[in-house]
Amino acid sequence: MAEREPLLAVAGLHAWYGQSHVLHGVTLQVEAGEIVSVLGRNGAGRSTLLKALIGQVRSEGQVRFDGADILGLPTYDIARRGIGYVPESRDVFPALTVEQNLLLGRKSGAQPAAGWRFDDMYAMFPSLHKRRAVAAGSLSGGEQQMLSLARALMGNPSLLLIDEPTEGLSPQMVEQVARYLGELRSRHVAVLLIEQKQTIALDISQRLYVMGRGEIVFHGTPGELLADGGVQREWLSV
């Protein structure tokens, strides 16, 4: 019996910004329904990794998603295949209402019966329900982050790429994001998470990667990372 392929399998991935070589042969994988975090200092290449996976930077190597090669495909095609992307910049449409932003997250065509709906989003983020008719540009930073996360889910992805979702948020909002991620796991949505707050990543992830200078320098469980003081000192300590 053939071994089942991971939902996302990345091998030897290189990426560039212009002439700047940022990723140097990154290899990682994410299983269906799994939360995997990528840790590292600023400038390690973590955000570039997500942009390479979603087709936004020049890349070489192998990226397979759900059994198919996707490297080199346009971003819209990658998204249609079931990958959602939540950038650190949030990128809500400021002149549109909260509900209009959520509607834009839907894929064209009929929505699957088991898919995420408005009621799911409003149950998860009650503040969005209260402000569903308000222009997204008038929301607080935390509310815009909630909207960006919810909009990505409206496309019913099987994998979410999330870049620094707690950056600049209040402790209360950070706690809400952590609960959101736990809800995703219960709904069998896989997550590849870039997160600066190690406590959150260690708490919710099944596995972790640590990046340094555009390469993977550690891969293991949260317990294995906590036990490896050398990796923490060399690649994570400020």
Side-chain angles (χ1 to χ4, degrees):
M1 184 175 179
E3 185 177 345
R4 181 173 58 86
E5 189 172 346
L7 179 65
L8 176 72
V10 179
L13 183 63
H14 294 255
W16 292 261
Y17 285 121
Q19 298 301 311
S20 180
H21 193 178
V22 180
L23 299 185
H24 302 271
V26 170
T27 295
L28 58 79
Q29 63 185 45
V30 181
E31 301 285 351
E34 184 182 36
I35 297 179
V36 175
S37 290
V38 182
L39 302 175
R41 296 192 183 102
N42 290 336
R46 297 171 304 145
S47 293
T48 303
L49 169 62
L50 297 193
K51 290 177 180 178
L53 297 179
I54 203 70
Q56 294 187 346
V57 295
R58 181 166 66 91
S59 309
E60 293 179 2
Q62 185 180 73
V63 179
R64 289 180 62 79
F65 175 70
D66 201 17
D69 292 315
I70 64 169
L71 191 67
L73 296 179
T75 297
Y76 67 83
D77 194 355
I78 294 172
R80 286 174 181 170
R81 290 168 182 259
I83 297 182
Y85 175 49
V86 182
E88 184 180 2
S89 56
R90 296 159 189 163
D91 291 350
V92 300
F93 295 95
L96 301 182
T97 67
V98 165
E99 196 145 296
Q100 287 169 335
N101 268 268
L102 291 177
L103 188 61
L104 285 174
R106 279 185 168 176
K107 292 179 183 175
S108 58
Q111 292 293 296
W116 298 85
R117 301 180 181 277
F118 286 115
D119 288 347
D120 296 313
M121 298 301 97
Y122 293 148
M124 194 177 298
F125 304 120
S127 62
L128 294 185
H129 182 255
K130 294 175 184 175
R131 310 200 70 185
R132 62 190 182 278
V134 172
S138 67
L139 301 179
S140 69
E143 288 170 333
Q144 287 188 12
Q145 183 66 80
M146 300 301 108
L147 178 56
S148 183
L149 292 164
R151 185 182 62 197
L153 267 189
M154 288 292 286
N156 294 302
S158 51
L159 171 66
L160 266 184
L161 312 176
I162 308 179
D163 194 357
E164 298 281 13
T166 65
E167 181 67 23
L169 300 188
S170 67
Q172 183 180 8
M173 281 291 187
V174 168
E175 190 175 313
Q176 192 169 357
V177 169
R179 287 199 302 269
Y180 160 91
L181 293 170
E183 175 72 11
L184 294 187
R185 187 180 176 192
S186 71
R187 294 281 290 260
H188 211 60
V189 177
V191 175
L192 184 60
L193 174 68
I194 306 299
E195 179 53 63
Q196 199 66 31
K197 295 180 175 61
Q198 290 186 44
T199 51
I200 291 179
L202 290 166
D203 187 47
I204 67 172
S205 303
Q206 285 74 65
R207 293 183 299 109
L208 304 113
Y209 292 89
V210 177
M211 286 188 68
R213 303 191 187 105
E215 300 178 351
I216 300 295
V217 297
F218 171 88
H219 167 229
T221 65
E224 289 168 340
L225 178 59
L226 287 171
D228 196 329
V231 168
Q232 294 190 56
R233 285 190 299 273
E234 184 170 0
W235 301 107
L236 295 174
S237 298
V238 178

